């Protein structure tokens, strides 16, 4: 009997300890937990964040998630990653206000872009107010704030001009669009009758050699080799471990969604898909809205 009572007491004590803990665990669904910006952290450099004492990291970590998580339950690297991510996205939000994109909250959508006609491409920029950083994204430091769709001609212009400084200078100093187009076509062995639009060439030149020279040409070339004139190059500006990286891939719309518009000498692309099930703003005729492409 004593053994039985002891067993009951042990079970009772175990339940007393475990039930509240379980309730606490179930009270927060990580899939429904989102980061809030902390102005104090936003104004810090990454180096300053990395040099904060752990107790300060703990405080900011819990504050970022409205004190719904306990710093004791996570490793130092996870907490640091989350605070770094919150600081980075905070800087992004400051930049959107500085460059007049603050109205995105009223224009952002989860819908595809109905159509775009032009030779440059379009940018999709995440609305981090309506689709804030999730707990998982912050913890891993992996998220995407912008995805671009470059037209074929814009992609080849950037790729060609990034080949070497002398070629970049030659195109930059070319006497007119026709001459610049001929240089690019010859460089990439494109058909002699191909014409690179002036808008695509001028944007590639505007990036400057410092950016073009740092381009990941190998990965860009893999996507370029799969492209047709009607293809788009999809560029993900992905932050992984809180460091920016770019991912390139060829994207083909259904054939019925691409048509040539002779009056403007450009393709019309219909129903360009939103890259994520998140709120974001479309910018037709703009690429590299938040980031440079190189």
């Amino acid at each position: 009997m004593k053994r039985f009572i002891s067993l009951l007491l042990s079970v009772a004590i175990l339940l007393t300890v475990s039930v509240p803990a379980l309730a606490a665990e179930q009270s927060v669904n990580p899939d429904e937990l989102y980061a809030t910006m902390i102005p104090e952290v936003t104004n810090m450099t990454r180096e300053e964040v990395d040099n904060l004492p752990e107790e300060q990291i703990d405080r900011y970590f819990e504050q970022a998630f409205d004190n719904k998580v306990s710093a004791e339950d996570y490793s130092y690297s996870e907490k640091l990653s989350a605070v770094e991510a919150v600081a980075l996205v905070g800087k992004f939000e400051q930049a959107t206000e500085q460059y007049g994109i603050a109205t995105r909250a009223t224009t952002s959508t989860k819908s595809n872009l109905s159509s775009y006609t032009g030779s440059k491409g379009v940018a999709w920029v995440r609305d981090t107010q309506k689709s804030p950083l999730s707990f998982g994204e912050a913890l891993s430091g992996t998220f995407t704030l912008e995805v671009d769709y470059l037209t074929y001609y814009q992609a080849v212009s950037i790729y060609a001009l990034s080949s070497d400084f002398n070629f970049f200078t030659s195109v930059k100093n070319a006497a007119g669009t026709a001459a610049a187009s001929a240089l690019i076509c010859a460089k990439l062995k494109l058909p002699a009758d191909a014409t690179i639009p002036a808008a695509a060439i001028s944007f590639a030149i505007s990036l400057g050699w410092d950016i073009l020279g740092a381009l990941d040409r190998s990965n860009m070339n893999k996507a370029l080799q799969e492209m047709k004139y009607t293809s788009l190059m999809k560029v993900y500006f992905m932050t992984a471990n809180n460091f920016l990286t770019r991912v390139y891939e060829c994207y083909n719309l259904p054939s019925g969604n691409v048509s040539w518009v002779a009056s403007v000498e450009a393709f019309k692309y219909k129903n360009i898909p939103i890259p994520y099930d998140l709120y974001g703003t479309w910018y037709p005729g703009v690429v590299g809205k938040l980031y440079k492409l190189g």
Side-chain angles (χ1 to χ4, degrees):
M1 178 62 71
K2 288 182 179 179
R3 289 182 180 177
F4 181 68
I5 293 173
S6 297
L7 179 61
L8 285 176
L9 287 171
S10 298
V11 171
I13 292 170
L14 179 62
L15 288 173
T16 302
V17 173
S18 61
V19 169
L22 181 60
E25 288 177 6
Q26 292 180 338
S27 66
V28 176
N29 183 349
D31 294 331
E32 298 176 356
L33 189 59
Y34 299 96
T36 56
M37 297 304 103
I38 306 173
E40 186 178 348
V41 175
T42 297
N43 295 324
M44 294 181 186
T45 65
R46 177 166 184 153
E47 184 178 11
E48 287 173 332
V49 172
D50 292 349
N51 288 328
L52 289 172
E54 186 167 0
E55 57 268 24
Q56 193 81 337
I57 292 291
D58 289 353
R59 184 169 70 84
Y60 287 138
F61 173 74
E62 292 179 348
Q63 185 180 345
F65 298 101
D66 299 324
N67 296 308
K68 293 178 180 178
V69 293
S70 172
E72 295 179 356
D73 297 333
Y74 299 90
S75 69
Y76 172 75
S77 61
E78 289 174 322
K79 293 179 290 190
L80 178 61
S81 174
V83 176
E84 286 177 339
V86 167
L88 191 62
V89 174
K91 287 179 175 59
F92 156 74
E93 291 201 352
Q94 280 187 342
T96 60
E97 293 173 5
Q98 179 182 351
Y99 293 112
I101 315 176
T103 54
R104 70 193 187 287
T106 57
T107 60
S108 65
T109 177
K110 282 190 174 183
S111 299
N112 295 347
L113 180 64
S114 58
S115 69
Y116 165 70
T117 303
S119 57
K120 202 169 182 181
V122 302
W124 173 87
V125 177
R126 178 173 173 173
D127 180 352
T128 54
Q129 293 179 2
K130 295 175 74 173
S131 288
L133 211 61
S134 72
F135 183 66
E137 287 177 314
L139 217 59
S140 65
T142 301
F143 50 89
T144 301
L145 300 181
E146 178 175 349
V147 178
D148 290 356
Y149 291 88
L150 277 64
T151 68
Y152 174 80
Y153 289 118
Q154 186 63 78
V156 297
S157 297
I158 292 171
Y159 182 76
L161 267 67
S162 68
S163 58
D164 63 73
F165 179 72
N166 289 336
F167 183 73
F168 167 78
T169 303
S170 297
V171 174
K172 183 178 179 180
N173 295 333
T177 300
S181 175
L183 286 170
I184 293 172
C185 291
K187 183 74 171 179
L188 299 182
K189 297 180 173 58
L190 300 179
D193 59 349
T195 301
I196 311 297
I201 297 173
S202 62
F203 176 75
I205 292 172
S206 73
L207 291 173
W209 176 249
D210 286 346
I211 290 173
L212 291 169
L215 188 72
D216 185 353
R217 300 186 80 248
S218 176
N219 286 327
M220 192 176 187
N221 182 53
K222 290 176 184 177
L224 200 59
Q225 293 303 316
E226 299 175 5
M227 294 181 73
K228 304 173 291 187
Y229 290 141
T230 55
S231 301
L232 294 167
M233 179 176 285
K234 200 172 182 180
V235 185
Y236 296 86
F237 295 89
M238 181 181 295
T239 299
N241 297 319
N242 288 312
F243 286 97
L244 181 66
T245 185
R246 297 162 183 80
V247 179
Y248 307 90
E249 65 178 41
C250 171
Y251 181 78
N252 292 306
L253 287 163
S255 57
N257 286 14
V258 185
S259 58
W260 177 254
V261 182
S263 60
V264 293
E265 296 187 333
F267 284 106
K268 180 178 182 178
Y269 307 87
K270 294 191 296 183
N271 200 31
I272 299 175
I274 192 165
Y276 298 101
D277 184 27
L278 298 168
Y279 281 97
T281 302
W282 289 104
Y283 294 93
V286 176
V287 289
K289 182 67 177 178
L290 301 178
Y291 310 97
K292 295 297 186 182
L293 294 166

